[in-house]
Amino acid sequence: MSVNEEVQAPARTPAWWTMAVVYQIYPRSFADSNGDGVGDLGGIRQHLDHLQQLGVDVVWLSPIYRSPQADNGYDISDYRDIDPLFGTLDEFDLLLAELHERGIKLVMDLVVNHTSDEHAWFREASSSPENPKRDWYVWRDGVDRGDGRPTEPNLWRSAFSGPAWTRPAGDDLYYLHLFAPKQPDLNWENPEVRDAVYEMMNWWLDRGVDGFRMDVINHIAKIQQDLVGDSTGFRTGPQIHDFLQEMNRRVFAGRDADLITVGEMPGVTVDDARLFTGVDRLELDMVFQFEHVGLDHGPASKFDNVSLDLRDLKRSLSRWQTGLADQGWNSLYLGNHDQPRSLSRFGDDGHDTDGRHRYESATLLATILHLHRGTPYVYQGDEIGMTNAFFTGIEQYQDIETVNWFAEETAKGRDEIELLEALRFRSRDNARTPVQWTSGDQAGFTAGTPWLAVNPNHDAINVETDRASGDRSIFDFLRRLIALRHESPLVALGEFALLEPDHPTLYAFTRSDDEGRLLVAGNVSGADVEAPILLEGPWGAGSLLIGNYADAGPAAVLRPWEVRVIEA
Ligand code: TEU
């Protein structure tokens, strides 16, 4: 079958995950049960009530495999073991059983674009050019760029600074690493690599896990001629569809109805996503796309902050809604362990703003996200409105991307104050500070010293305080949004239509199906906004399904960060 062929999906029962909500746990920052300062499986097991009360259907764990932790576990040295930092396989089995008892599924992070350089496969591959595992990785000759001395095979840069190629001491060739030198890329063109990955995936599914979140999975398909040329084909090569269809046949076939698969895919377009997620193409259930989280990036890099124009965000998300309406499926997210905290990025976090509307802005953002069509992903801490870290010194940061970028830019002579300012908004560590459980010591995260500082605002922002806040609890509001998706096919599946695309602060859209319709109208600003739409057509006589102000307020004005979902 031609890989680009689009197949029209016939009407069928919607998959369970169209009504599901996923909660992402970044284990090292969730909860520490043994006082070593790093979150672990024991810590997760202590907070299962939290997840169950929130009502999420699925937990996705960022990597817990054995790893030297150069990239916090996204550098795996053994795919079939748990890193001692987090626990043991026995403890993992317990966690899985306890989640299942509560009706919660568990998704593993699958990091197979690259391994750790300490994985046995790479140790063998780098031991000699004749080693049978040599071709499991991507090796190329250096290129003479005119000075008689061979340098890297092409000009690709690592996402974590420096060239994407390293020549080990004593070796003639360079190996490819799109991320850190400690994360060598696997060679997916080699069928032995694919066999080994599929076997490992089956091993986890046989153990009982319910699916995979696949790290940079579109990077497994490189455009081969570009590996020695200087163009940009390090991802989404045409063979990607063959790889994913093969994976589907070899791993998911026969059990896919119970599973959930999501491919993380930087740079993919709506058209790509239609192919990856069209039901009859048998590739993936959904993808994480990056368009909407790139809108506030300047031309230089992700650290180049430009202010977000809400109109761009609305148009972007709306294009994905429309593009995947008849084929494929959206994942919905505003933040994760790589992105700034969504409240700091889009809301009123009390830092450069006055913070009076932290509750309203957090609930507004959640409502907009959860009322789109797709599967929503909640990142740990968002359920209580956690904010960026706002570190002030480079020594406070741990993230490899942050640390390397700062060193590279200071070496170019850039002003440190300016760099720190950029990190304050963009460093991945903003989302990685420990979950704030209480107002007490280390926010109740650990009895020891946390691997990354707890945000000082934990005295006010923490699970205990939020849950005692009555009708101003963000957790409780989110719980209601999640329940709404479970109860309402209209919320899960209804058709999406954007209203007021050119309005700079009003975010309005409708959802509709044969049985009913909803209007979502939100004020993405700290000032009142006129919203005549609230009185137009059927909406004036509609009823409020959920909103984030306790009293009714003016009929056609939305107050600061107010959102209303109206049923007509
Ligand atoms: O991230 C891939 C990715 O493209 C980026 O979001 C990345 O985090 C980086 O910020 C680019 O600027 C995935 C994981 O989510 C991330 O944590 C890993 O570091 C990365 O892959 C490598 O495994």
Side-chain angles (χ1 to χ4, degrees):
M1 176 176 92
S2 146
V3 290
N4 287 319
E5 202 173 288
E6 297 209 8
V7 185
Q8 198 65 38
R12 66 180 79 221
T13 317
W16 64 268
W17 36 257
T18 58
M19 310 200 84
V21 175
V22 183
Y23 184 94
Q24 181 191 355
I25 290 183
Y26 193 65
R28 61 165 45 235
S29 303
F30 189 70
D32 172 24
S33 67
N34 65 359
D36 67 356
V38 180
D40 47 36
L41 299 185
I44 299 173
R45 293 180 56 216
Q46 286 167 2
H47 290 288
L48 297 179
D49 287 347
H50 181 82
L51 304 173
Q52 190 175 24
Q53 286 162 16
L54 192 56
V56 296
D57 306 273
V58 181
V59 164
W60 147 34
L61 294 183
S62 274
I64 51 173
Y65 311 90
R66 202 174 267 274
S67 158
Q69 304 288 324
D71 185 19
N72 293 355
Y74 283 91
D75 50 317
I76 296 167
S77 54
D78 185 348
Y79 288 108
R80 301 191 194 208
D81 203 0
I82 306 295
D83 197 277
L85 258 187
F86 300 121
T88 61
L89 271 174
D90 285 342
E91 212 169 359
F92 173 83
D93 290 338
L94 279 177
L95 170 64
L96 182 60
E98 287 164 352
L99 282 168
H100 283 170
E101 268 164 41
R102 291 166 193 257
I104 302 174
K105 292 181 184 261
L106 181 113
V107 159
M108 291 292 270
D109 217 305
L110 180 81
V111 188
V112 291
N113 172 69
H114 44 270
T115 67
S116 164
D117 66 338
E118 298 182 34
H119 194 290
W121 299 341
F122 190 75
R123 285 191 195 281
E124 285 191 47
S126 54
S127 68
S128 134
E130 278 75 51
N131 188 283
K133 292 259 170 14
R134 180 70 167 185
D135 185 51
W136 284 41
Y137 294 84
V138 182
W139 298 90
R140 291 291 184 275
D141 284 313
V143 169
D144 184 347
R145 291 201 156 69
D147 60 0
R149 204 172 43 92
T151 54
E152 292 81 20
N154 70 16
L155 298 180
W156 291 355
R157 307 281 298 166
S158 154
F160 301 149
S161 301
W165 299 91
T166 293
R167 190 166 62 82
D171 209 307
D172 289 335
L173 303 188
Y174 291 78
Y175 69 87
L176 177 68
H177 51 87
L178 294 176
F179 296 90
K182 285 190 70 62
Q183 294 166 295
D185 281 53
L186 282 165
N187 175 19
W188 272 71
E189 307 298 321
N190 183 334
E192 290 177 18
V193 168
R194 305 204 298 273
D195 287 347
V197 170
Y198 304 151
E199 207 188 302
M200 174 271 285
M201 292 172 76
N202 275 307
W203 185 84
W204 282 103
L205 292 179
D206 292 343
R207 210 171 186 99
V209 310
D210 303 291
F212 297 100
R213 173 271 185 188
M214 305 179 186
D215 195 61
V216 289
I217 199 67
N218 58 330
H219 292 48
I220 62 177
K222 282 106 179 146
I223 295 177
Q224 293 301 302
Q225 68 266 23
D226 289 353
L227 283 160
V228 286
D230 281 332
S231 35
T232 54
F234 60 88
R235 63 188 180 200
T236 330
Q239 69 278 43
I240 187 66
H241 297 290
D242 291 333
F243 290 163
L244 291 175
Q245 287 171 7
E246 181 183 70
M247 176 191 285
N248 194 302
R249 283 194 304 276
R250 300 272 300 277
V251 183
F252 308 136
R255 48 181 163 194
D256 45 340
D258 300 322
L259 303 180
I260 176 170
T261 58
V262 50
E264 189 211 24
M265 298 198 179
V268 287
T269 62
V270 177
D271 287 338
D272 294 329
R274 285 173 63 84
L275 296 178
F276 289 123
T277 67
V279 179
D280 291 314
R281 292 179 48 84
L282 300 176
E283 296 187 19
L284 298 172
D285 295 334
M286 61 198 94
V287 302
F288 287 135
Q289 56 98 0
F290 280 66
E291 198 178 284
H292 65 299
V293 289
L295 297 171
D296 55 3
H297 293 181
S301 80
K302 69 180 254 188
F303 295 102
D304 186 8
N305 289 313
V306 299
S307 75
L308 176 75
D309 186 329
L310 183 73
R311 289 168 287 205
D312 292 337
L313 182 67
K314 292 193 289 188
R315 283 192 203 110
S316 168
L317 289 178
S318 160
R319 223 159 31 71
W320 281 82
Q321 291 284 299
T322 316
L324 298 185
D326 65 331
Q327 174 176 331
W329 187 250
N330 271 294
S331 71
L332 307 171
Y333 74 97
L334 289 177
N336 59 39
H337 65 293
D338 294 331
Q339 300 291 331
R341 280 280 170 192
S342 58
L343 182 71
S344 292
R345 194 175 199 175
F346 306 111
D348 176 16
D349 71 353
H351 200 82
D352 293 324
T353 53
D354 65 19
R356 272 188 306 139
H357 298 111
R358 195 176 63 86
Y359 166 78
E360 287 80 5
S361 63
T363 50
L364 165 126
L365 291 170
T367 306
I368 288 173
L369 188 78
H370 285 253
L371 267 290
H372 273 73
R373 185 171 187 271
T375 300
Y377 286 72
V378 177
Y379 180 61
Q380 67 180 33
D382 281 355
E383 72 275 30
I384 55 160
M386 280 179 62
T387 71
N388 278 352
F390 298 116
F391 291 151
T392 50
I394 188 62
E395 68 291 342
Q396 292 172 289
Y397 291 97
Q398 299 285 336
D399 170 33
I400 183 170
E401 180 185 52
T402 299
V403 171
N404 289 357
W405 179 78
F406 188 85
E408 191 173 65
E409 297 300 309
T410 44
K412 289 182 195 156
R414 279 184 69 186
D415 176 33
E416 293 196 6
I417 305 289
E418 187 194 314
L419 298 176
L420 286 170
E421 177 73 2
L423 293 179
R424 215 160 66 85
F425 292 107
R426 200 64 86 207
S427 169
R428 303 195 296 180
D429 279 340
N430 283 307
R432 299 178 179 185
T433 61
V435 169
Q436 296 160 206
W437 296 101
T438 69
S439 58
D441 235 20
Q442 306 300 356
F445 165 74
T446 179
T449 307
W451 71 276
L452 184 70
V454 164
N455 194 314
N457 67 21
H458 76 270
D459 54 355
I461 303 175
N462 61 73
V463 173
E464 214 168 61
T465 304
D466 182 87
R467 301 220 45 195
S469 304
D471 64 4
R472 291 180 67 78
S473 161
I474 299 170
F475 182 99
D476 193 60
F477 192 95
L478 190 58
R479 182 187 63 69
R480 289 159 59 207
L481 282 176
I482 293 169
L484 199 58
R485 172 167 297 264
H486 292 156
E487 289 153 15
S488 163
L490 180 54
V491 170
L493 298 165
E495 189 182 322
F496 174 98
L498 184 68
L499 304 175
E500 309 273 6
D502 299 320
H503 197 295
T505 54
L506 180 63
Y507 205 135
F509 55 91
T510 58
R511 301 291 307 281
S512 52
D513 65 13
D514 295 343
E515 253 109 80
R517 54 201 160 166
L518 297 176
L519 169 70
V520 180
N523 173 6
V524 189
S525 85
D528 285 356
V529 67
E530 304 277 342
I533 179 73
L534 289 165
L535 293 181
E536 281 166 19
W539 308 118
S543 58
L544 185 71
L545 196 56
I546 187 168
N548 62 355
Y549 271 68
D551 58 320
V557 173
L558 290 170
R559 291 161 287 180
W561 302 98
E562 180 172 9
V563 68
R564 294 183 205 166
V565 179
I566 298 185
E567 196 175 18

